Amino acid sequence: MIADILKETFWSLSANKVRSGLTILGIVIGIASVITMVSIGQGAQKTIESSIQAIGSNLIIITPGAQKSGSVSGGQGSSQTLTVGDADMIVAEVPNVKGIAPEVSKRYQLNAKGNNTNTQVVGTVPDYLGVRNIAIDSGTFVTSQHVKSSAKVVVLGPTVRDDIFGVGADPIGQTIRIKNVDFEVIGVALAKGGTGFSNPDNSVYVPLTSAQHFLSGDTFVTSISVAANDQNSMTAVQQQISEFLLKSHNITDPAQADFTLMNQTDIIATASSITGTFTMLLSSIAGISLLVGGIGIMNMMLTTVTERTREIGLRKAVGIKKIYINMQFLAEAVALTFLGGFVGVALGWGASLLVSKFVPQLTTVVSLSSVLLAFGVSAAVGIIFGFYPARRAANLSPMEALRYE
Amino acid sequence: MIECKNLNKIYQTGDVQTIALNDVSFSVEKGEFVAIIGPSGSGKSTLMHILGALDAPTSGSYFLDGKEVSKLEDDELSELRREKIGFVFQAFNLLPRTTVLRNVMLPLLYSDTTDEERVERAKTCLAYAGMEESKFYNLSNQLSGGQMQRVAIARSLINNPAIILADEPTGNLDTKTSNVVMKAFQELNQKGHTIILITHEQEIAAFAGRVISIRDGVIESDIKK
Ligand SMILES: Nc1ncnc2c1ncn2[C@@H]1O[C@H](COP(=O)(O)OP(=O)(O)O)[C@@H](O)[C@H]1O
Ligand SMILES: [Mg+2]
C-alpha cells in the first residue's frame, strides 16, 4: 500500500515535470530569499555588536553634558564639566573599578614627512590600554612618567602609521606635528580591525596632560572610561559613580546631572534598534518574496485543479478508495514542498555564505528561526493548496469529478 | 442481479432542466449479454453511469445483487466498482502522459497483488482487447482513438469483474477490430460475465442476446432473442 502511494507520487511528479518544476521553483525562491535576507540583517547586527564589544569589556563611559536619551554619540566635548579630579576620586571612592581612563579627544591635523591627515587625537593615561582593550604592536604606550611630565610623545594607531609612514613601516623615533607641536613617536598600536564608532585604528594617543597643555589648553576631559571588575558589578558601579558625581558636583536632582553615563549594554541596545530596523526592512522584502513564492505555488496548484479533479474522478471510478487518493495527493504536495524546501534552504544558505565571502565587513548569520519560518510558510501553502482541492475532488461522485470544468 | 425501478435523471444547468432518464425500469439477470441502442442524446450514457455506480439517479432505485446502490457509503461504492464492475467510458478517460500498461494496471493500485502479477494481468487483458504488444509502453496521449479504446477495454477487464459495462466500445474501431473485440465480449459472456454495452450499430447489437432500445430517456422496446 505505502509502496504504491510512494510509486504513484513519484510517477505523478515525474509525468508532470513542468508542473512539478514550477511549483518547486516557487518554493525555492521564497525560502532562499527569506533565509538570505534575514541572514544579512542578523549578520549586520552581530557585526555591530561585536565591534562594540571590542571597545573594551565591562565598560562604562562618562561624558560631560546632560543625558540625551537614545543618543549614542552624546555630547562629547560639547560641555566642560568633567575633570581628571573626577576620575581620581572615582577610583578612590567606588569599589570594583578595575581601571579608569580619562581622556581628551579631538580631531586635529597631523603632519609628518609632508603627509597630512586629519585624525582623532586621544590624550589619556596608561590605564586606557586595559580599559579600552588596546594592544601595542611595537614600542610602548603612554606611561605614567609621560603623563607626569607632559611628554611630547605619541602612539600611533596602525591606520595612521600606514597613512603617514607607509604600510608596515617602523616610525618609532620619528617626529609628527600635531597643531604645530612636535611629538615623538614611541609606539604603534595593534590593529583591532572592525568598525568601531571612533575607529581606534585611525587614532593617535598622547599623554593626557600633554593634550591639555599643548592641544586643548584647558583642564577638562572629554570622557572618562571606567572598567568594572566584572559583568555582575556593572550596575552597582554605574549607580555608585552616578551618586558620587552628583554629590561632588553638588547636584541634588539627578535629572539635572551635568554628565552622562553609558555602558555597553546601552550602546548595543541603541545600535541594535538601528540594525533591528534594517533587519525588519530585509525581512519585509523577504516576506514579500515568500508571499510571491506562495502565490506561485498556489497558482500552480489551482490551475491544475481541473486536470487533477478529472484524474481523481477516474481513480474513484475504477474503484480506488478515497483514503488512498487523499494520501497520494498529500504525499505529492509534501514531496514537492520538501524537495523545494531543501533546495531553497541549501540555496539560501549558500547565498548567505557567498555574501560573507565577498563582503568581508559582513558576517552573515543563518538563523534557525528564519529557516523554520520560511520552510513552514511554504510547506503550509504547498500542502494546503496541493491537498485541499484534491480532498474536495475525492469527495465528489466519480462522474461529478470526471465532468469537472 | 441488476434491477432498476423508476429511474429518473434530471440535469440542471443554470435554469435549463434536461430530463435524461424518464421512469426507466428493467432488470438484467446474471450471465446476460445486453445491448442498449438508441440515438445520440437519448440517455444511454446516463443510464450506464448509474448502472456503473458512478453517478446517482435523481430518483428511483437501483439494486445490484440485492443491495440498493444509492444507500451505500462512498467507500462501499468504490469497493463495489472495483470488485464487480468493469467500465469502458465513451471518452476512454485514460490518465494522460502515462504508459498504456500503467493505465491498465490503475484499478489494481493499493491491492495486495505483486508488481509482476499486475504487469502479467495487464498484458493478458491488453492482448484480449486486441492491443498490439509494441504499444504497451507508449504514453496514452500518443495513441489513436482505436488504440485508446482497446486500452480502456483492457482496463475494464483487469479485475475480472462480474459485470462489464461498455459505452460504445467499438465506436472508434474499424470493422475488423470491432469484430475481434465483440468476439472477446462474447467469450467473456460465455465464461459467465454479465455484459451490457451501448451501441448505435445494429451489427454490433446482433452479438447480444437482448437488445433494449431507448429514446428520449424512455425504454422503447426490450427484445430477447
Ligand atoms: N452533465 C450533464 N449536464 C447536463 N446535461 C447533460 C449532462 N450529461 C448529459 N446531459 C444531457 O442528457 C441527455 C442524455 O445524454 P447522454 O446520456 O450522454 O446521451 P447518449 O449517451 O445517449 O448520447 C442529453 O440531452 C445530454 O445533453
Ligand atoms: Mg453517450
Side-chain angles (χ1 to χ4, degrees):
Chain A
M1 306 280 188
I2 290 177
D4 272 354
I5 287 170
L6 296 182
K7 271 187 245 167
E8 281 299 293
T9 301
F10 176 78
W11 273 98
S12 170
L13 293 183
S14 49
N16 301 289
K17 284 195 186 65
V18 176
R19 181 172 98 189
S20 314
L22 286 175
T23 311
I24 289 175
L25 191 69
I27 299 170
V28 167
I29 290 172
I31 292 185
S33 55
V34 169
I35 291 175
T36 315
M37 299 281 185
V38 173
S39 81
I40 291 174
Q42 297 200 326
Q45 204 156 343
K46 277 265 161 57
T47 308
I48 289 173
E49 275 173 24
S50 63
S51 65
I52 291 168
Q53 292 290 1
I55 300 171
S57 39
N58 305 324
L59 191 63
I60 298 163
I61 295 175
I62 313 167
T63 51
Q67 181 93 43
K68 287 185 194 161
S69 60
S71 155
V72 178
S73 52
Q76 265 202 353
S78 55
S79 53
Q80 300 181 320
T81 54
L82 291 177
T83 62
V84 178
D86 287 322
D88 290 343
M89 290 201 288
I90 288 168
V91 176
E93 300 283 332
V94 179
N96 285 325
V97 170
K98 195 165 83 184
I100 189 156
E103 66 175 274
V104 181
S105 295
K106 196 169 182 215
R107 294 191 83 86
Y108 290 104
Q109 199 68 24
L110 258 63
N111 51 59
K113 306 178 80 181
N115 292 327
N116 272 303
T117 170
N118 189 283
T119 298
Q120 180 86 358
V121 177
V122 180
T124 189
V125 298
D127 256 7
Y128 192 81
L129 217 54
V131 172
R132 296 299 283 260
N133 224 355
I134 291 168
I136 289 297
D137 187 16
S138 64
T140 58
F141 194 65
V142 171
T143 64
S144 41
Q145 196 54 45
H146 292 137
V147 177
K148 232 174 246 161
S149 61
S150 305
K152 287 183 263 186
V153 293
V154 63
V155 176
L156 307 182
T159 311
V160 181
R161 186 262 322 268
D162 293 350
D163 286 352
I164 295 180
F165 297 100
V167 177
D170 177 16
I172 292 175
Q174 307 266 20
T175 302
I176 65 169
R177 193 166 259 264
I178 308 171
K179 207 186 169 192
N180 288 323
V181 182
D182 283 336
F183 285 78
E184 187 196 340
V185 178
I186 56 163
V188 179
L190 203 61
K192 288 186 83 167
T195 48
F197 284 118
S198 45
N199 186 352
D201 290 350
N202 197 15
S203 301
V204 302
Y205 307 94
V206 299
L208 177 68
T209 46
S210 315
Q212 288 175 329
H213 290 161
F214 305 116
L215 304 175
S216 70
D218 60 46
T219 57
F220 296 104
V221 297
T222 52
S223 75
I224 301 172
S225 304
V226 182
N229 265 338
D230 50 46
Q231 182 73 43
N232 295 337
S233 51
M234 285 285 281
T235 321
V237 169
Q238 190 168 347
Q239 179 70 26
Q240 283 161 336
I241 291 175
S242 175
E243 281 165 10
F244 172 74
L245 283 180
L246 285 173
K247 203 169 76 191
S248 69
H249 288 194
N250 289 322
I251 298 162
T252 44
D253 177 9
Q256 299 295 314
D258 58 358
F259 58 88
T260 304
L261 287 184
M262 200 185 280
N263 63 37
Q264 272 163 310
T265 321
D266 300 334
I267 301 172
I268 290 172
T270 312
S272 295
S273 78
I274 298 167
T275 53
T277 313
F278 179 61
T279 308
M280 281 274 276
L281 177 78
L282 287 175
S283 305
S284 321
I285 296 172
I288 293 169
S289 332
L290 197 58
L291 191 74
V292 171
I295 291 172
I297 302 166
M298 197 170 88
N299 203 32
M300 212 51 226
M301 298 284 192
L302 292 181
T303 48
T304 57
V305 155
T306 309
E307 194 184 314
R308 289 159 158 263
T309 303
R310 291 203 179 131
E311 180 183 334
I312 287 167
L314 174 64
R315 285 173 185 271
K316 279 195 86 173
V318 300
I320 295 175
K321 284 191 182 148
K322 215 158 57 178
I323 175 121
Y324 297 124
I325 293 171
N326 282 337
M327 268 154 69
Q328 184 203 322
F329 281 79
L330 182 64
E332 236 175 77
V334 168
L336 280 180
T337 48
F338 276 68
L339 220 65
F342 286 125
V343 176
V345 169
L347 206 69
W349 206 301
S352 62
L353 286 182
L354 279 183
V355 170
S356 279
K357 191 156 180 219
F358 289 108
V359 189
Q361 297 92 320
L362 196 68
T363 312
T364 56
V365 183
V366 174
S367 71
L368 183 67
S369 58
S370 71
V371 172
L372 291 181
L373 176 81
F375 206 111
V377 170
S378 26
V381 172
I383 291 170
I384 290 169
F385 288 96
F387 178 54
Y388 176 72
R391 215 185 94 95
R392 213 183 39 187
N395 279 326
L396 298 175
S397 85
M399 275 330 286
E400 281 173 322
L402 277 167
R403 276 196 294 249
Y404 185 87
E405 261 153 33
Chain B
M1 95 186 295
I2 285 175
E3 192 179 0
C4 299
K5 278 187 191 157
N6 312 104
L7 289 182
N8 285 288
K9 179 74 183 179
I10 299 166
Y11 291 112
Q12 183 92 41
T13 21
D15 292 337
V16 187
Q17 271 198 350
T18 311
I19 301 173
L21 291 180
N22 189 0
D23 213 25
V24 171
S25 302
F26 69 102
S27 51
V28 177
E29 296 305 316
K30 188 176 180 332
E32 274 195 275
F33 189 164
V34 183
I36 296 176
I37 181 162
S40 170
S42 56
K44 305 182 296 291
S45 293
T46 303
L47 176 62
M48 206 63 140
H49 294 151
I50 292 170
L51 297 182
L54 298 169
D55 213 356
T58 311
S59 67
S61 43
Y62 164 39
F63 295 88
L64 183 64
D65 287 339
K67 271 193 206 135
E68 184 163 2
V69 173
S70 57
K71 297 241 165 79
L72 295 180
E73 297 286 321
D74 194 83
D75 276 353
E76 291 172 316
L77 285 172
S78 285
E79 213 169 292
L80 180 95
R81 288 191 288 265
R82 177 199 196 103
E83 285 172 2
K84 295 197 174 156
I85 300 166
F87 202 99
V88 184
F89 289 94
Q90 190 170 13
F92 321 131
N93 289 331
L94 302 181
L95 282 183
R97 298 180 291 280
T98 307
T99 63
V100 164
L101 213 53
R102 288 184 63 79
N103 262 290
V104 177
M105 294 189 301
L106 187 68
L108 293 179
L109 277 176
Y110 314 114
S111 69
D112 42 359
T113 39
T114 64
D115 283 358
E116 297 75 40
E117 209 177 324
R118 292 180 191 185
V119 171
E120 198 56 41
R121 272 165 71 175
K123 285 182 173 170
T124 313
C125 293
L126 278 164
Y128 211 87
M131 185 73 181
E132 53 266 56
E133 204 165 338
S134 61
K135 295 279 196 290
F136 285 5
Y137 291 93
N138 282 24
L139 298 184
S140 61
N141 41 318
Q142 297 164 347
L143 301 176
S144 72
Q147 288 165 337
M148 288 193 207
Q149 191 137 51
R150 277 168 274 172
V151 177
I153 293 169
R155 185 181 59 197
S156 75
L157 303 178
I158 192 91
N159 266 323
N160 197 29
I163 306 165
I164 296 164
L165 302 171
D167 195 346
E168 307 213 12
T170 57
N172 287 278
L173 301 182
D174 56 60
T175 321
K176 196 168 146 250
T177 327
S178 289
N179 284 332
V180 171
V181 166
M182 288 314 295
K183 287 254 162 59
F185 278 126
Q186 233 169 14
E187 208 178 299
L188 285 166
N189 179 238
Q190 272 147 24
K191 281 188 194 161
H193 296 266
T194 306
I195 294 174
I196 304 177
L197 59 79
I198 291 174
T199 182
H200 50 248
E201 292 171 71
Q202 287 297 340
E203 307 89 81
I204 299 296
F207 281 90
R210 174 179 171 191
V211 179
I212 297 177
S213 62
I214 182 168
R215 182 181 290 270
D216 295 333
V218 181
I219 293 184
E220 236 180 14
S221 68
D222 186 344
I223 301 157
K224 276 184 205 175
K225 272 188 202 163

